[in-house]
Amino acid sequence: MEKGLVLIVDDDPSIAKALEKLVREDDFLAFSVNNGMEATQLLAKREIDVALVDLNLPGFSGLQILQFIKNNRYLTEVILITGSATIDTAVSSLKQGAYDYLTKPFDNMDRVLNTVRKAWEKEQLLKRVQNLESGGDRRRDSFQGIIGRSAKMQELFRLVENVGHSESNILVLGESGTGKELFARALHETSPRASKAFVVINCSALSENLLETELFGHKKGSFTGAISDKKGLFEEGNGGTVFLDEIGEISPMMQVKLLRVLQDGEVKPVGGTEAKHVDVRLIAATNRDLYQRVKEGKFREDLYYRLNVVSFQVPPLRDRMEDVPLLAYHFLQRYAEKTGKKVTKISVDAMQTFQEYRWVGNVRELENVIERAVVMTTSETITARDLPPALLGQIFYLSEDQNHRDLIHLTYQEAKDKAVSLFNKTYIATLLQRAGGNISVASARAGMDRSNFKKILKKCGINITEFKKGGGS
């Protein structure tokens, strides 16, 4: 399946054809032309995703093609091809909106191809952001209040529809923050029990004794403080659905009592002598490997199979990254309305940060980030400046470098300061390496003015001469 359409513009036919062949081998559609006028005619007729354009074209220059694209608001990402002698022009082109530049002769074709891929990914993200701003995707890609258009989520939506009408107990698996309770509620809403109660309890939040009274109720005088009879959640959920979150945390005694409810359909209040019949559908969820706990003797095997009549795994957010923009705009709308602020957009640089982050806290973490950004921003658009430093710091925490993994042993403030410092140093060093030590080029790529870039450079203690290919600053 082709990735996108790439246009190569170079007055040297051999270079143009070589680049065309290169990008075609990576499953892009590609074609080449040898002059600027022909390029602009094609850009006006075709939806070009990425344009590789030589700066020094006769007649209609590469910069004029870039300006033509920007003036006509085409989404095409432009990669300029230049000789080393035109470095100042390259810096200017980056400031005018070029995605990147490549220097001839090409000494690393993998870098050329990687730059094309990255430019295409940015162009696709920009299209997605614009589409989301219109609200179209948000209305279409949801199911029972759950947001997702990825193949994994669509498969889960179909599964919910298929099993929702049944009376079988269901086990929902997944990491914390993935939305297991939303799926449990969707299962209830698609069942014949939808008009009855949907009762939720987090098993890990309560002590054993308190969990028992919450689930089964108690009789007056059964313990100190029991001043009246109290119905348990199984009674309150009679005819409906009971959702037990973090089921893997319950004690052996509670496992026995819960098994009795599932076998007999009866509950006995604490301090009571008579059992009461209840008709509930049980949905349980856990972020633990419950089968592994069974093998370790920490969870009853008979209870496991009673709960696990049907099970499904809610994927972590990092395994469905195509849903991140959709979720981000969903939360943006929610918190803009909640705060009364007119925040309507998320910039491409912020969205790129989201796409590169691992989201250890899953959807819940993304929601928190958007809520914070809405509160912090002073404009109608959330940009990378509105995002928490932790979004950058985690990149280094997940590194294999021992210094980065040692962040967990510091206080929060110390860890955050070190993570941000590590980010600054690595980010600046990477830019300088790619720019051959040229500060003007590196600062342009960073979207910063030269003086501020040099301040960060000095603060990081980076030696500029280590990156220079042959002088220049």
Side-chain angles (χ1 to χ4, degrees), residues 83-197:
S84 58
T86 58
I87 203 74
D88 290 338
T89 310
V91 171
S92 174
S93 68
L94 290 172
K95 291 179 178 178
Q96 291 179 54
Y99 174 77
D100 206 344
Y101 78 92
L102 298 168
T103 304
K104 291 191 292 187
F106 306 120
D107 56 357
N108 187 334
M109 301 309 287
D110 285 339
R111 189 199 161 191
V112 174
L113 203 51
N114 188 56
T115 304
V116 172
R117 290 192 200 109
K118 292 293 184 182
W120 174 71
E121 288 170 2
K122 181 182 178 182
E123 187 261 356
Q124 293 296 297
L125 185 59
L126 183 57
K127 282 183 179 178
R128 187 79 193 282
V129 167
Q130 289 193 349
N131 196 23
L132 286 165
E133 287 170 1
S134 71
D137 281 345
R138 282 175 278 165
R139 289 190 295 270
R140 186 175 66 246
D141 298 316
S142 66
F143 172 79
Q144 294 290 334
I146 307 172
I147 306 298
R149 70 181 306 177
S150 62
K152 289 185 177 181
M153 293 299 284
Q154 293 296 318
E155 182 180 347
L156 284 183
F157 295 163
R158 288 191 292 271
L159 182 59
V160 170
E161 286 186 314
N162 289 338
V163 304
H165 67 277
S166 75
E167 292 294 305
S168 300
N169 297 328
I170 294 177
L171 183 61
V172 184
L173 306 171
E175 296 178 7
S176 294
T178 51
K180 296 187 292 295
E181 184 177 334
L182 289 177
F183 275 96
R185 190 175 294 275
L187 285 161
H188 172 72
E189 294 296 333
T190 54
S191 75
R193 298 174 179 266
S195 61
K196 302 294 184 178

Side-chain angles (χ1 to χ4, degrees), residues 391-410:
L391 231 65
L392 306 173
Q394 192 209 45
I395 296 168
F396 300 99
Y397 173 70
L398 293 169
S399 168
E400 292 301 315
D401 189 306
Q402 183 64 43
N403 291 329
H404 299 156
R405 286 187 280 116
D406 280 349
L407 289 179
I408 197 64
H409 302 299
L410 304 176

Side-chain angles (χ1 to χ4, degrees), residues 317-389:
L317 187 55
R318 62 183 173 274
D319 287 349
R320 57 180 187 107
M321 292 300 287
E322 58 266 52
D323 289 334
V324 168
L326 197 64
L327 286 161
Y329 267 90
H330 170 73
F331 293 131
L332 173 66
Q333 186 177 42
R334 173 186 295 178
Y335 288 105
E337 290 174 357
K338 186 176 181 179
T339 59
K341 294 182 72 174
K342 190 179 179 182
V343 186
T344 59
K345 298 179 181 180
I346 301 173
S347 69
V348 175
D349 65 334
M351 200 66 81
Q352 283 181 305
T353 302
F354 294 161
Q355 295 288 85
E356 293 166 3
Y357 189 62
R358 281 182 55 83
W359 299 110
V360 174
N362 292 297
V363 178
R364 187 182 296 132
E365 184 181 13
L366 174 60
E367 180 178 2
N368 290 341
V369 166
I370 296 296
E371 181 181 8
R372 177 191 184 278
V374 170
V375 171
M376 296 296 291
T377 189
T378 56
S379 71
E380 294 185 8
T381 302
I382 290 174
T383 69
R385 291 191 299 272
D386 303 310
L387 305 181

